[in-house]
Amino acid sequence: MAREIRLFSELEIWTHKHVVHFAAALILTGLIISAAKLPSPLDSFFGWLAYALGTPASYLAKALGYSPFEQGYSAYSLGVQVARVIHRLAGVGMAAIGLVWLLGELPRIRKWQIWPEGGLGEAVRNLAAYYLGRRSVRFGKYNLGQKLWILSVFIGFAILFATGMVMWFRSSFSPETVALAHTIHVWAAWLGIAGLIVHVYLAIGIPEHRPMVRAIFRTGTAPEDFVKHHHPLYYEKAAKEAEEA
Amino acid sequence: MPVTEYGIVVNLDTCIGCRACQVACKVWNGLKAEETSFNPQGYTNPPDLTPNTWMIMQFLEGVEDGEPFWLFKKHQCLHCSEAPCAKACPVNAIEVHPEGAVVIRSDRCIGCRYCIEACPYNVPRYDPKTNKVYKCTLCIDRIQNGLQPACVEACPTDALEFGPWRELVEKYRAAGYEVYGDHVNDYVGHTHYLYVTRKYRSLGAKQGKKWYEVLGLPADPRGRLPGVQLGREVGVGLAALAALGAVAHAVYWRAKRMEKRSGSKGG
Ligand code: SF4
Ligand code: SF4
């Protein structure tokens, strides 16, 4: 059996898995909340999901002794209301996951290689060469695109969390602040969705990258040949560390 | 038969500030009384709109050319033809009726308050007890049953006039009145409440203002709807672009791989 090289810790696997769950919940509920204002056919699809959430919720309300009418919500509105509650819980859940990860990573913080080795210019050239020229290049554990993606996930989520909180507790803020937060929230969410499409494509859509999918979701390791070929700098570092140990 | 588009004229010159309209609105809509107290700012009472007070008479005081003036302005939803509040509502709880009324359906409202962000006239009011937002309905229930809005019916001086919107605009323009609302801007369109005056037309002119601006009716009212709407439209476009880019890259990548394979076979 080919030797496996460790790329991700148990904590990283756990974090990524839950980030996927919470991001899915956030995106889905976000789209349900704004369904009525989305262009066709997105409006019908996500609007249908609002009914799909609202109808059982109204039966449940009835079983609990409220009639949906007394509760004052039509099935669609109730669906959106349920989506809003899930959206808020998922936002808090996502922040909690981020916090757990950060606490777990703190001891390793000195090992973070944020700035690309070899400089920024080299990193840009490498990235272009890889995706356009299909040349083998000397990436570390993460190439520039991946580094930027992780950074924008952090910054993007922080912005979404902060603006979401302003919208949630809107009575405590000025109308201008609330409206600005709402605008930024919508822009940041859509930028995130667009970024996520690219991220998922690069991970799953390119067959050569699939060992990474297995690594991040299950084993945390990838075959030696793969790491040597795609992340040579990281491979050399890992080999050196193994030798030293 | 097409439905007639209606309007209500508020004639500043003949209003005497008796508040009969304010009371009639409460009565017809079954709205609870407010606990009021002395308002040090003036005679407006309650001092602002609330979930239970959908219209108020504002008593505006000032001095113009050394002469004091005391003006009564009826304040409520203006029933904008473009109804930005309705465009902002995520559950389509705000209906725009062909009669001109912009009405919040309580059974649909989820209390998100996006309509408040969108309204440039600061009208809808949120009630945390019911988690819903309330405002004037133009008495659509009365209009659709052949009655005049309650406020209009109660006005003892005919300072309020209800009728087909176009006829009202033409009538008051022909009589030499200044009219606010027949065309405001692209954000609100025109309003179904029309404010008219002959007497106060030069109010504020010394400060370079229009009379309606002194009344608190902006010349170019804008709310926060466009930023949100644009974000959504650009966002959907970006997401589609990302998906397209992914497909294009997949095709390119595959072609490259085939080329490489055949090259290595040949070589
Ligand atoms: S005045 Fe405000 S609440 Fe009334 S229709 Fe216009 S935007 Fe909507
Ligand atoms: S508060 Fe009610 S009426 Fe206003 S936008 Fe939200 S759901 Fe619509």
Side-chain angles (χ1 to χ4, degrees):
Chain A
M1 208 181 97
R3 211 159 75 92
E4 292 275 316
I5 305 283
R6 178 151 290 279
L7 285 164
F8 303 113
S9 66
E10 287 302 321
L11 176 67
E12 281 171 311
I13 298 175
W14 179 88
T15 307
H16 185 263
K17 208 184 284 174
H18 289 302
V19 163
V20 171
H21 297 153
F22 282 104
L26 282 165
I27 293 173
L28 199 65
T29 49
L31 289 170
I32 292 174
I33 294 165
S34 52
K37 303 294 153 188
L38 293 177
S40 170
L42 294 178
D43 57 344
S44 337
F45 180 69
F46 291 106
W48 178 84
L49 286 180
Y51 280 114
L53 270 182
T55 307
S58 70
Y59 282 118
L60 185 70
K62 204 169 172 184
L64 291 175
Y66 309 98
S67 88
F69 184 73
E70 275 160 11
Q71 257 207 342
Y73 291 121
S74 71
Y76 186 91
S77 295
L78 190 56
V80 174
Q81 199 67 295
V82 172
R84 284 175 84 208
V85 174
I86 300 174
H87 197 76
R88 289 170 179 184
L89 291 177
V92 173
M94 183 78 117
I97 300 283
L99 213 64
V100 170
W101 174 81
L102 200 65
L103 288 176
E105 272 287 312
L106 275 181
R108 267 187 23 88
I109 206 156
R110 285 171 165 280
K111 288 194 172 176
W112 285 9
Q113 178 73 49
I114 296 178
W115 195 250
E117 289 148 288
L120 198 61
E122 172 79 0
V124 173
R125 274 191 299 279
N126 272 348
L127 198 68
Y130 180 68
Y131 282 106
L132 297 173
R134 189 68 192 96
R135 245 198 306 118
S136 291
V137 286
R138 292 183 58 71
F139 289 143
K141 182 171 175 181
Y142 298 111
N143 65 39
L144 182 67
Q146 291 165 322
K147 281 180 197 286
L148 283 177
W149 169 244
I150 298 167
L151 201 66
S152 35
V153 166
F154 265 102
I155 298 173
F157 180 72
I159 291 173
L160 285 167
F161 187 79
T163 51
M165 282 294 163
V166 172
M167 289 164 76
W168 187 349
F169 300 102
R170 57 176 61 220
S171 336
S172 314
F173 298 90
S174 74
E176 288 74 27
T177 312
V178 172
L180 187 68
H182 188 179
T183 310
I184 295 174
H185 198 82
V186 170
W187 280 87
W190 277 104
L191 279 175
I193 290 175
L196 206 59
I197 292 174
V198 175
H199 173 70
V200 171
Y201 162 69
L202 292 179
I204 299 174
I206 297 182
E208 285 94 323
H209 293 176
R210 287 201 193 137
M212 282 303 246
V213 178
R214 189 198 66 176
I216 192 64
F217 278 106
R218 288 193 289 129
T219 58
T221 61
E224 187 176 19
D225 283 351
F226 172 84
V227 182
K228 214 189 233 173
H229 179 69
H230 282 87
H231 301 275
L233 276 182
Y234 177 76
Y235 177 75
E236 284 157 22
K237 245 193 220 174
K240 212 167 126 205
E241 265 175 32
E243 235 170 63
E244 279 166 11
Chain B
M1 213 178 83
V3 179
T4 310
E5 182 183 358
Y6 292 100
I8 296 177
V9 159
V10 179
N11 189 339
L12 299 172
D13 303 354
T14 47
C15 173
I16 54 168
C18 69
R19 292 196 181 106
C21 51
Q22 193 172 319
V23 175
C25 176
K26 282 262 173 193
V27 174
W28 176 256
N29 292 299
L31 300 173
K32 279 189 226 128
E34 303 285 345
E35 212 174 285
T36 53
S37 63
F38 175 65
N39 175 10
Q41 307 297 320
Y43 287 84
T44 310
N45 221 332
D48 200 0
L49 298 174
T50 75
N52 275 307
T53 300
W54 299 349
M55 70 136 294
I56 49 169
M57 284 309 301
Q58 291 176 330
F59 291 72
L60 309 170
E61 300 168 47
V63 179
E64 181 89 355
D65 283 338
E67 285 291 309
F69 69 84
W70 204 33
L71 248 176
F72 317 117
K73 183 206 157 200
K74 191 176 182 294
H75 178 53
Q76 72 298 299
C77 169
L78 275 79
H79 299 274
C80 313
S81 64
E82 288 297 321
C85 55
K87 288 183 186 162
C89 178
V91 291
N92 292 337
I94 306 186
E95 290 177 340
V96 183
H97 290 259
E99 290 90 344
V102 178
V103 183
I104 299 178
R105 289 240 337 227
S106 264
D107 61 330
R108 290 197 196 149
C109 175
I110 56 168
C112 68
R113 288 164 274 173
Y114 294 175
C115 51
I116 298 179
E117 289 171 29
C119 173
Y121 295 110
N122 183 23
V123 169
R125 288 294 181 273
Y126 175 69
D127 186 351
K129 282 195 215 93
T130 57
N131 188 33
K132 288 180 190 292
V133 159
Y134 301 91
K135 67 168 197 72
C136 159
T137 64
L138 203 79
C139 281
I140 186 68
D141 45 348
R142 292 175 61 96
I143 295 175
Q144 286 181 341
N145 286 290
L147 298 170
Q148 298 198 342
C151 54
V152 177
E153 201 170 82
C155 180
T157 62
D158 289 340
L160 299 178
E161 187 176 348
F162 175 74
W165 186 85
R166 188 146 300 285
E167 282 175 27
L168 288 176
V169 171
E170 281 164 8
K171 175 178 158 186
Y172 280 86
R173 284 254 180 238
Y177 279 88
E178 289 278 316
V179 180
Y180 178 89
D182 58 348
H183 179 73
V184 185
N185 65 6
D186 57 345
Y187 188 71
V188 299
H190 60 264
T191 59
H192 292 92
Y193 257 95
L194 299 158
Y195 290 82
V196 307
T197 185
R198 278 193 296 219
K199 207 159 122 191
Y200 299 107
R201 64 188 333 145
S202 53
L203 197 68
K206 287 258 160 63
Q207 298 95 50
K209 275 190 182 169
K210 289 281 187 195
W211 61 272
Y212 44 79
E213 288 173 307
V214 178
L215 256 58
L217 298 168
D220 188 21
R222 304 227 165 242
R224 284 293 194 146
L225 176 65
V228 174
Q229 238 174 6
L230 190 70
R232 225 171 261 138
E233 281 154 19
V234 172
V236 173
L238 265 179
L241 214 67
L244 259 164
V247 172
H249 187 265
V251 172
Y252 169 82
W253 189 263
R254 212 179 125 82
K256 273 261 165 201
R257 209 165 36 159
M258 306 261 272
E259 194 181 291
K260 209 173 157 196
R261 262 196 213 142
S262 61
S264 61
K265 261 186 215 157

